[in-house]
């Protein structure tokens, strides 16, 4: 419906929409005409072409699987747009060599060669036109609006549409001139056509209607698309026109201008007229917007959120930068330089436990307090905004069982690290983290993004001290991704900024301590890349425990990594300083330890025992916006700090988590099509030395299909041995793949199991690559044996076209000869080599025959490069869907059978759903209520919230005081996060009693 509304409205993007709708009309007309004209031939000859139709099925199947991730995608990103044109090119180049279309009376050679000729001519003509028009603007002969240069993509797309339209017309109407009396009115001819159509409709037999429909088509060609006239009608253009051929096939040339040429000139004239009117007067037929203006208007009505990070992209510069930053960080900052040491050195107060830079007690005077916790934000914009929208609401009303729960907005927001992915750059922080939060709760009107806060807190006007500020506040700790650049971006955007959207940022350092009401504390620890706190940080929190934290107080410890789960999973022991702080200084006062890093929700509570309890509850909530992590791989966690723990809640559930992993088999490539660059190249290297297989046709010499299949697998086995015994490039690829597969297996398994699993993984890829290589070589060999390929030379298509052109497109005035002379031979040369470059299968087959006869040594270096490039262009299409399926199956088996690759197997799925945050309530009696609120399905389509847009506000009004603070809501009201949010976990941590023998409880 949105596309329909776009077409019907007066302002829509120009000129891509014109070309797109015209393209749809052209294709629809082509399908109608080909079905009506060739249906009988298709039915009669289908049984005789079973071999070729089966090859069609395989070819179309592989091309469909390759192009399936790009179906219904926009022109962004560029790789998606490139893949469409790439698929169209090599698919048509292979299609026209197969004979089934020729048996239907449709010769694709003429259509393809004519398309390329018209396309080049149209492109050159329009470029010259635009250059002349800009020259007229420079001379001041046209209006100032002509200064805006046209987009090259627009010209290319329009040329393609014009060329396709002309080829469709030629396929069904030809270039024949029709001799008819000039006195015959067009309206009369049209009436004859409709009369024939009415007469056909009088027939009651459906088949006869279909078989005689081509008569109606002939009437359309002869009346509606008749030539515009003869050369005598246009004496000035007589030497600049192409003429039609006589319908009688006589030897004389027709004096009638070619109908194809007339159609082309009409389209070119319409384009030029529309362009001149638009640029000269500022008005076009439908008042279109330019692309930039349309995008600007679109941003006012819909958000431009970033997609989930493509972790398996072979084209993302962000991921390469992330790897580089990680290597530099591990080398330089781990054990050599630490920003936390710099922060400690910059502290102005000798006694850190009394430092206002690290200790904040402005909230402890309240009777009760609501506050929130999230972690791992800044991946996909949809998921991050969904959580930010929930956090920003003045209140949330949720139905739970038979009751209605009301949750006021948290006065404090705690974020547990990994603020933006994949690396802590300015772009990722601004677009993936700050932008969604600013749309959920706008910053003050005086806020400037480039502002640097020198003395924090920078309180709003009229607020004298932090204790008197009534708006929401935010404190954050960095995660491992925030440390990839040595914490530089975190310090710039968090410690030296005052606002995260409408949340106030008083924080000055990367770690902090908060004193909350009724004896509750929050310790925010910075683990950096060590997975532990440094000694300066330890000293601050240890002194705080001795001097400030009371014996009956309760502490919430926040770290980025959940060491209790990761240590159990990897069989490691990290975070020794944190453990020592909790066990020796807090001494049972740590009621809750929270973390992110794992992008799911899990809560474990300590089992009652006689042993001293160091941490009562362990909570992981990394559902702030990043991709989902599995829960079922941590199902067997039971013990930490010497205490037994039991699982109280998981989100998603163990069963759902296991089922989600199944998506790796069929959805891996759909979610990670940028992986094509890596996967296709790897497979090609594996079989590089095996091209060509000159004796592949012997597989079909067997009598039965069983023997043929057996012979095929024997050929595969021989190819593998040939790789090991004779090849160099392929052998290097195999050895490299084996090594990478071994080291890719996590160290959680023993070395023997890693070697076995890595070998099986690499073997699956090698087998698949060899299988695809033999299928491709067998298909080429079949076409060569049936004289469909390698019939003449590299320029087969061009030579055939020149003969057909002279026969069907007469040139009595010598226009083509003059163009060749004026362009110094470039006119035919460009078309000639363009056709050769287009006809990749012919180039590949001709070179392949030369190699099979004389050996690869007989080719010059350029010839060998041309051959392997042409092979790669097709092998890439065959291999990329297969390599993704094999790799996705490997991930599925590993995550569900061996419980390894939990990061790799779920980052590949890029799941934006299952998002959650935890809301806390410190009650007046000191008890802490904990609620985890979740959204199962995150909306993908947003719209401007009319309530937000229509709400009357003062220019200086703070956004947290608005009734509707968030700018966007889900396009479907029933799917909005505020409508579908639900409680997935709920428990209470009682205030520490004065009697130490009273234990806490859960509800």
């Amino acid at each position: 419906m949105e596309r329909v509304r776009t077409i019907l409205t007066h302002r829509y993007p120009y000129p891509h929409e014109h070309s797109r709708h015209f393209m749809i009309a052209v294709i629809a007309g082509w399908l109608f005409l080909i079905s009506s004209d060739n249906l009988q031939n298709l039915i009669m000859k289908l049984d005789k072409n079973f071999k070729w139709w089966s090859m069609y099925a395989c070819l179309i199947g592989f091309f469909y699987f390759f192009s399936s991730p790009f179906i219904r995608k926009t022109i962004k990103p560029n790789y998606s747009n490139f893949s469409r044109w790439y698929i169209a090119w090599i698919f048509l180049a292979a299609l026209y060599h197969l004979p089934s279309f020729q048996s239907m009376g449709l010769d694709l050679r003429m259509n393809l060669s004519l398309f390329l000729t018209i396309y080049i001519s149209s492109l050159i003509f329009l470029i010259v036109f635009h250059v002349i028009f800009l020259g007229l603007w420079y001379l001041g002969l046209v209006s100032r609006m002509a200064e805006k240069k046209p987009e090259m993509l627009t010209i290319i797309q329009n040329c393609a549409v014009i060329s396709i339209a002309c080829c469709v017309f030629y396929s069904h109407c030809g270039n024949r001139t029709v001799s008819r009396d000039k006195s015959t009115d067009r309206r009369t001819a049209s009436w004859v056509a409709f009369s024939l159509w009415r007469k056909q409709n009088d027939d009651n037999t459906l088949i006869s209607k279909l078989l005689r429909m081509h008569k109606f088509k002939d009437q359309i060609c002869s009346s509606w698309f008749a030539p515009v006239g003869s050369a005598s009608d246009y004496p000035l253009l007589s030497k600049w026109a192409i003429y039609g051929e006589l319908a009688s096939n006589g030897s004389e040339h027709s004096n009638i201008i070619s109908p194809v040429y007339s159609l082309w000139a009409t389209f070119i004239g319409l384009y030029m007229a529309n362009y001149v009117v638009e640029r000269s007067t500022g008005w076009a037929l439908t008042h279109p917007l330019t692309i930039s203006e349309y995008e600007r208007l679109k941003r006012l009505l819909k958000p431009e959120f970033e997609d989930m990070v493509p972790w398996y992209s072979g084209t993302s510069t962000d991921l390469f930068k992330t790897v580089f930053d990680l290597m530099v960080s591990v080398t330089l900052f781990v054990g050599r330089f630490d920003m936390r040491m710099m922060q400690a050195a910059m502290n102005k107060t000798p006694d850190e436990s009394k430092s206002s830079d690290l200790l904040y007690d402005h909230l402890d005077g309240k009777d009760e307090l609501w506050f929130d916790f999230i972690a791992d934000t800044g991946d996909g914009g949809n998921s991050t905004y969904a959580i930010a929208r929930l956090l920003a609401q003045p209140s949330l009303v949720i139905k739970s069982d038979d009751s209605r729960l009301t949750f006021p907005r948290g006065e404090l927001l705690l974020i547990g690290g990994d603020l933006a992915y994949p690396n802590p750059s300015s772009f990722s922080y601004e677009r993936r983290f700050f932008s969604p939060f600013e749309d959920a709760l706008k910053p003050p009107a005086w806020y400037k993004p480039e502002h640097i806060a020198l003395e924090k807190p920078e309180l709003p006007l009229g607020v004298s001290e932090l204790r008197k500020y009534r708006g929401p506040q935010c404190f954050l700790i960095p995660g491992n991704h925030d440390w990839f650049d040595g914490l530089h971006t975190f310090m710039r955007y968090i410690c030296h900024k005052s606002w995260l959207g409408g949340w106030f940022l008083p924080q000055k350092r990367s770690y902090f301590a908060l004193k909350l009401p009724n004896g509750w504390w929050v310790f925010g620890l910075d683990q950096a890349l060590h997975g532990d706190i440094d000694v300066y940080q330890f000293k601050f929190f240890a002194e705080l425990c001795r001097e400030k934290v009371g014996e009956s107080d309760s502490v919430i410890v926040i770290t980025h990594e959940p060491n209790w789960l990761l240590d159990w999973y990897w069989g490691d022991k990290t975070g020794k300083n944190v453990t020592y702080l909790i066990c020796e200084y807090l001494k049972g006062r740590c009621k809750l330890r929270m973390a992110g890093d794992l992008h799911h929700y899990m809560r474990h509570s300590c089992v009652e025992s006689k042993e001293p309890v160091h941490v009562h509850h362990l909570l992981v909530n990394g559902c702030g916006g990043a991709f989902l992590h599995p829960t079922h791989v941590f199902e067997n966690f039971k013990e930490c700090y010497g205490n037994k723990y039991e699982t109280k809640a998981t989100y998603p559930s163990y069963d759902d988590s296991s089922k989600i992993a199944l998506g790796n088999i069929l959805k891996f490539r759909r979610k990670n099509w940028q992986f094509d660059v890596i996967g296709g190249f790897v497979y090609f290297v594996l079989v590089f030395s095996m091209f060509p297989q000159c004796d592949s046709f012997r597989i079909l010499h067997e009598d039965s299909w069983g023997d043929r299949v057996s012979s095929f697998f024997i050929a595969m086995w021989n190819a593998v041995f040939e790789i090991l015994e004779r090849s160099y490039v392929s052998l290097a690829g195999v050895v490299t793949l084996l090594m990478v597969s071994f080291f890719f297996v996590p160290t959680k398994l023993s070395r023997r199991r890693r070697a076995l699993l890595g070998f099986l993984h690499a073997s699956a890829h090698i087998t698949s690559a060899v299988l695809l290589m033999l299928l491709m070589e067998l298909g080429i060999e079949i076409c060569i044996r049936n004289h469909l390929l390698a019939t003449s030379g590299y320029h087969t298509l061009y030579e055939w076209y020149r003969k057909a052109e002279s026969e069907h497109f007469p040139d009595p005035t010598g226009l083509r000869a003059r163009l060749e002379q004026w362009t110094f031979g470039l006119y035919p040369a460009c078309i000639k080599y363009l056709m050769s470059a287009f006809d990749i299968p012919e180039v590949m087959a001709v070179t392949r025959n030369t190699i099979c006869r004389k050996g690869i040594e007989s080719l010059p270096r350029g010839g060998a490069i041309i051959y392997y490039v042409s092979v790669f262009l097709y092998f890439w299409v065959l291999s990329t869907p297969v390599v993704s399926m094999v790799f996705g199956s490997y991930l599925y088996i590993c995550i569900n059978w061996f419980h390894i690759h939990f990061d790799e197997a779920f980052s590949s799925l890029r799941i934006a759903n299952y998002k959650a945050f935890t809301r806390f309530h410190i009650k007046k009696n000191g008890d802490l209520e904990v609620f985890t609120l979740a959204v199962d399905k995150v909306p993908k389509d947003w719209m401007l919230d009319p309530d937000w847009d229509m709400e009357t506000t003062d220019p200086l009004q703070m956004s947290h005081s608005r009734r509707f603070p968030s700018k966007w809501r889900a396009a479907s009201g029933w799917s909005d996060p505020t409508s579908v949010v639900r409680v997935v976990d709920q428990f209470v941590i009682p205030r520490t009693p004065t009697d130490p023998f009273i234990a806490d409880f859960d509800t």
Side-chain angles (χ1 to χ4, degrees):
M1 289 303 296
E2 181 182 354
R3 177 58 56 83
V4 175
R5 288 195 298 267
T6 303
I7 298 173
L8 295 180
T9 52
H10 287 289
R11 301 178 69 83
Y12 58 90
Y14 174 86
H16 294 287
E17 291 291 336
H18 291 91
S19 301
R20 185 179 294 113
H21 302 316
F22 186 47
M23 178 77 78
I24 293 173
V26 167
I27 294 176
W30 179 78
L31 291 175
F32 167 76
L33 292 172
I34 190 176
S35 62
S36 64
D37 197 34
N38 298 298
L39 184 62
Q40 184 178 12
N41 289 336
L42 175 63
I43 296 174
M44 293 176 59
K45 299 182 179 182
L46 179 62
D47 56 338
K48 299 180 180 179
N49 295 302
F50 179 78
K51 174 177 63 177
W52 300 113
W53 282 110
S54 60
M55 188 172 290
Y56 270 114
C58 294
L59 188 66
I60 294 174
F62 274 106
F63 275 83
Y64 169 76
F65 284 119
F66 178 85
S67 58
S68 58
F70 317 117
I71 296 176
R72 300 183 66 182
K73 293 280 187 178
T74 59
I75 62 172
K76 295 180 181 180
N78 292 331
Y79 180 77
S80 177
N81 196 35
F82 159 76
S83 296
R84 291 193 186 98
W85 290 101
Y86 172 74
I87 282 293
W89 165 33
I90 61 174
F91 180 68
L92 290 176
L95 199 65
Y96 95 88
H97 282 286
L98 298 181
S100 293
F101 276 107
Q102 297 178 19
S103 67
M104 291 166 51
L106 181 63
D107 193 347
L108 288 181
R109 289 181 299 178
M110 189 64 200
N111 291 275
L112 290 174
S113 54
L114 185 63
F115 168 83
L116 295 174
T117 303
I118 297 177
Y119 178 77
I120 291 296
S121 302
S122 303
L123 188 61
I124 295 175
F125 193 91
L126 292 184
I127 290 176
V128 171
F129 161 74
H130 284 293
V131 171
I132 294 175
F133 197 73
L134 288 174
L136 294 176
W137 164 80
Y138 183 77
L139 296 175
L141 300 179
V142 294
S143 77
R144 59 181 178 83
M145 294 196 67
E147 178 185 3
K148 189 176 293 183
K149 299 178 182 180
E151 296 185 3
M152 193 62 193
L153 181 61
T154 299
I155 300 176
I156 292 175
Q157 186 166 333
N158 283 324
C159 290
V161 172
I162 291 173
S163 304
I164 292 174
C166 292
C167 291
V168 170
F169 173 80
Y170 178 80
S171 298
H172 302 287
C173 298
N175 194 41
R176 295 178 299 175
T177 60
V178 180
S179 299
R180 57 183 176 89
D181 189 0
K182 291 185 178 181
S183 62
T184 304
D185 192 5
R186 289 288 182 97
R187 297 167 63 182
T188 305
S190 301
W191 175 254
V192 171
F194 280 111
S195 298
L196 179 61
W197 176 250
R198 182 182 299 176
K199 182 179 179 181
Q200 289 181 354
N201 286 338
D202 293 337
D203 199 329
N204 294 324
T205 306
L206 179 61
I207 298 178
S208 62
K209 289 181 181 180
L210 294 174
L211 296 181
R212 293 189 303 175
M213 198 175 292
H214 67 279
K215 296 181 180 179
F216 175 65
K217 183 209 69 173
D218 290 339
Q219 288 292 329
I220 294 177
C221 294
S222 61
S223 57
W224 294 353
F225 294 103
V228 296
S230 64
S232 59
D233 298 330
Y234 309 96
L236 295 178
L237 299 177
S238 59
K239 294 184 178 181
W240 301 94
I242 300 295
Y243 295 87
E245 57 177 330
L246 289 173
S248 60
N249 293 328
S251 59
E252 296 182 1
H253 291 297
S254 169
N255 194 36
I256 304 299
I257 296 177
S258 165
V260 178
Y261 179 82
S262 301
L263 186 65
W264 175 80
T266 301
F267 288 145
I268 292 293
L270 287 174
Y271 174 87
M272 294 169 59
N274 185 58
Y275 187 85
V276 170
V277 170
E278 177 196 358
R279 298 304 171 95
S280 298
T281 64
W283 182 88
L285 296 178
T286 52
H287 299 279
L289 293 171
T290 62
I291 297 300
S292 58
E293 292 171 343
Y294 172 73
E295 294 293 338
R296 193 181 308 113
L297 179 62
K298 183 179 177 182
R299 281 195 292 270
L300 299 177
L301 301 177
K302 285 190 176 183
E304 286 192 338
F305 291 143
E306 297 295 324
D307 291 332
M308 304 293 286
V309 174
W311 294 100
Y312 286 87
S313 173
T315 60
S316 174
T317 55
D318 279 342
L319 294 185
F320 288 112
K321 182 180 183 301
T322 301
V323 174
F324 176 78
D325 287 345
L326 178 60
M327 295 173 61
V328 172
S329 299
V330 171
T331 303
L332 296 182
F333 299 115
V334 176
R336 290 173 173 81
F337 175 79
D338 197 327
M339 181 63 73
R340 298 173 299 183
M341 299 170 59
M342 182 67 71
Q343 295 179 73
M346 293 174 63
N347 191 17
K348 299 177 182 179
T349 305
D351 187 356
E352 288 188 339
S353 64
K354 301 178 180 179
S355 173
S356 60
D357 290 354
L358 299 173
L359 174 60
Y360 300 86
D361 58 358
H362 59 285
L363 298 172
D364 68 334
K366 296 179 178 293
D367 293 332
E368 58 180 340
L369 180 70
W370 289 86
F371 63 98
D372 302 318
F373 173 77
I374 60 172
D376 301 279
T377 57
D379 188 350
N382 292 322
S383 53
T384 303
Y385 177 76
I387 292 298
R389 174 170 167 79
L390 293 173
L391 296 172
Q393 299 308 301
S395 64
L396 294 173
V397 179
I398 303 175
K399 293 182 179 180
S400 178
D401 298 329
D402 296 331
S403 61
R404 291 169 61 91
L405 302 176
T406 301
F407 300 94
R409 177 171 51 213
E411 300 177 56
L412 172 66
L413 173 61
L414 303 172
I415 302 181
D418 277 0
L419 307 184
Y421 295 89
N423 54 51
S425 64
S426 297
F427 174 83
S428 61
Y429 263 57
E430 291 173 3
R431 293 291 300 146
R432 296 185 179 275
F433 180 54
F434 273 82
S435 179
F437 275 83
E438 290 173 354
D439 286 343
L441 194 65
K442 295 186 70 66
W446 63 84
Y447 168 76
K448 295 181 179 180
E450 64 275 8
H451 175 69
I452 298 177
L454 300 179
E455 292 293 335
K456 296 180 70 174
E458 294 182 336
L459 295 168
L461 186 65
V463 181
S464 59
E465 58 178 330
L466 186 59
R467 189 179 294 270
K468 295 181 179 180
Y469 179 68
R470 294 294 177 260
Q473 306 169 37
C474 181
F475 286 82
L476 313 90
I477 60 171
N480 56 305
H481 282 266
D482 302 305
W483 267 94
F484 284 172
D485 67 344
L487 211 62
H488 171 77
T489 307
F490 181 91
M491 297 296 294
R492 168 66 179 85
Y493 280 86
I494 304 301
C495 299
H496 291 283
K497 274 183 177 288
S498 295
W499 298 94
L500 170 61
W503 285 270
F504 185 59
L505 294 175
Q507 183 176 344
K508 302 178 184 179
R509 300 289 184 259
S510 64
Y511 54 94
F512 58 86
L514 289 171
K515 186 177 181 182
L516 302 183
N518 302 324
W520 282 92
W521 293 76
V522 172
F523 288 0
L525 311 183
D526 178 7
Q527 295 177 301
L529 294 175
H530 301 267
D532 202 358
I533 59 176
D534 62 314
V535 292
Y536 299 97
Q537 196 174 171
F538 179 87
K539 179 176 180 291
F540 164 70
F541 287 109
E543 292 178 351
L544 197 64
C545 292
R546 288 187 304 191
E547 300 177 10
K548 297 285 186 179
V549 180
E551 292 298 327
S552 61
D553 287 352
S554 302
V555 179
I556 301 172
V557 176
I558 301 177
T559 59
H560 174 62
E561 293 184 354
N563 301 83
W564 60 94
L565 281 180
L566 296 178
D567 287 353
W568 166 83
Y569 179 83
W570 295 107
D572 200 359
K573 191 174 183 180
T574 61
K576 296 180 181 179
N577 292 344
V578 176
T579 302
Y580 191 73
L581 176 70
I582 291 175
C583 296
E584 299 299 327
Y585 284 87
L586 288 177
K587 297 180 179 179
R589 289 176 289 182
C590 182
K591 296 296 183 179
L592 174 65
R593 185 173 174 190
M594 296 192 300
D597 194 45
L598 297 176
H599 310 159
H600 57 228
Y601 177 79
M602 294 189 75
R603 177 172 68 91
H604 297 85
S605 297
C606 186
V607 178
E608 294 185 8
S609 65
K610 298 180 180 180
E611 299 294 330
V613 179
H614 299 290
V615 180
H616 295 254
H617 302 277
L618 302 170
L619 186 149
V620 179
N621 190 350
C623 304
F627 65 89
L628 182 68
H629 267 142
T631 57
H632 65 280
V633 298
F634 303 100
E635 185 176 1
N636 296 324
F637 169 78
K638 299 294 182 184
E639 186 175 351
C640 181
Y641 299 114
N643 301 117
K644 298 292 184 180
Y645 287 84
E646 60 179 345
T647 305
K648 290 294 186 179
T650 62
Y651 181 74
S653 65
Y654 294 143
D655 291 338
D656 290 342
S657 174
S658 179
K659 293 175 183 177
I660 290 171
L662 185 63
N664 273 292
I665 297 179
L666 297 178
K667 294 182 180 180
F668 180 87
R669 186 168 180 273
R670 186 178 294 273
K671 299 285 187 178
N672 305 278
W673 41 264
Q674 298 98 324
F675 188 67
D676 290 353
V677 176
I678 300 174
F681 178 77
V682 169
Y683 267 38
F684 182 68
V685 170
L686 290 177
V687 294
F688 177 84
S689 303
M690 297 297 98
F691 288 105
Q693 292 288 310
C694 299
D695 58 345
S696 58
F697 195 75
R698 61 181 174 81
I699 297 175
L700 300 180
H701 288 170
E702 304 294 339
D703 297 332
S704 64
W705 278 104
D707 293 337
R708 292 173 183 174
V709 172
S710 176
S711 179
F712 182 84
F713 283 105
I714 291 174
M716 285 181 56
W717 184 257
N718 293 335
V720 172
F721 268 96
E722 189 175 352
I723 291 175
L724 300 177
E725 292 179 354
R726 301 182 181 179
S727 67
Y728 294 97
V729 176
S730 296
L731 180 60
V734 168
V735 173
T736 303
L737 179 63
L738 287 170
M739 294 177 61
V740 170
S741 299
F742 171 76
F743 288 108
F744 184 66
V745 180
T747 55
K748 178 179 174 64
L749 299 182
S750 64
R751 183 169 298 181
R752 178 178 299 177
R753 289 190 175 184
R754 292 176 63 197
L756 178 60
L757 194 58
F759 174 78
L760 294 176
H761 183 201
S763 299
H765 285 297
I766 295 171
T767 303
S768 300
V770 173
L771 173 66
L772 294 174
M773 180 270 299
L774 284 177
L775 286 176
M776 179 175 169
E777 285 291 298
L778 191 59
I780 296 173
E781 187 68 23
I782 290 175
C783 291
I784 292 176
R785 296 296 180 100
N786 285 273
H787 306 290
L788 300 175
L789 285 174
T791 54
S792 56
Y794 293 116
H795 306 294
T796 303
L797 182 60
Y798 175 75
E799 293 171 357
W800 181 92
Y801 171 71
R802 289 306 295 264
K803 295 178 182 178
E805 183 185 45
S806 60
E807 178 181 352
H808 298 288
F809 292 88
D811 183 21
T813 63
L815 176 61
R816 283 190 284 266
R818 294 198 303 273
L819 289 176
E820 182 176 355
Q821 181 181 1
W822 292 339
T823 59
F824 301 100
L826 290 178
Y827 159 68
C830 289
I831 297 177
K832 176 180 180 179
Y833 288 102
L834 179 63
M835 289 185 179
S836 297
F838 176 84
D839 196 2
I840 293 296
E842 185 70 17
V843 173
M844 179 169 49
V846 171
T847 312
R848 182 181 184 276
N849 279 353
T850 303
I851 296 174
C852 290
R853 289 197 310 267
K854 303 178 181 179
I856 189 68
E857 299 81 6
S858 62
L859 291 179
R861 182 172 298 176
I865 292 176
I866 290 174
Y867 171 71
Y868 284 112
V869 168
S870 61
V871 169
F872 175 75
L873 291 176
Y874 278 93
F875 190 76
W876 190 38
V877 174
L878 300 179
S879 61
T880 46
V882 177
V883 64
S884 296
M885 183 173 291
V886 172
F887 187 70
S889 301
Y890 165 79
L891 291 178
Y892 169 74
I893 293 172
C894 288
I895 191 65
N896 274 2
W897 292 10
F898 302 103
H899 287 183
I900 60 175
H901 288 309
F902 69 86
D903 211 5
E904 296 84 353
F906 270 65
S907 63
S908 63
L909 297 176
R910 301 168 66 186
I911 297 174
N913 299 323
Y914 298 98
K915 293 297 164 275
F917 69 97
T918 301
R919 179 156 290 180
F920 300 87
H921 180 210
I922 300 178
K923 301 173 67 175
K924 294 181 180 180
N925 64 359
D927 291 348
L928 180 67
E929 292 182 313
V930 186
F931 306 89
T932 297
L933 284 64
V935 175
D936 296 336
K937 187 173 180 61
V938 171
K940 296 181 180 179
D941 194 13
W942 304 89
M943 62 177 288
L944 186 67
D945 190 344
D947 295 327
W948 176 89
D949 192 33
M950 297 174 63
E951 184 179 1
T952 56
T953 59
D954 185 87
L956 297 180
Q957 179 182 354
M958 299 292 287
S959 58
H960 66 264
S961 63
R962 297 185 58 166
R963 182 183 177 188
F964 303 101
S966 299
K967 184 176 182 180
W968 314 109
R969 70 171 178 85
S972 300
W974 59 269
S975 65
D976 191 81
T978 57
S979 301
V980 299
V981 62
R982 63 188 182 94
V983 178
V984 295
D985 189 25
Q986 174 181 351
F987 65 104
V988 176
I989 305 177
R991 182 175 184 173
T992 302
T994 55
D995 187 351
F997 295 101
I998 299 178
D1000 64 334
F1001 61 93
D1002 292 347
T1003 61

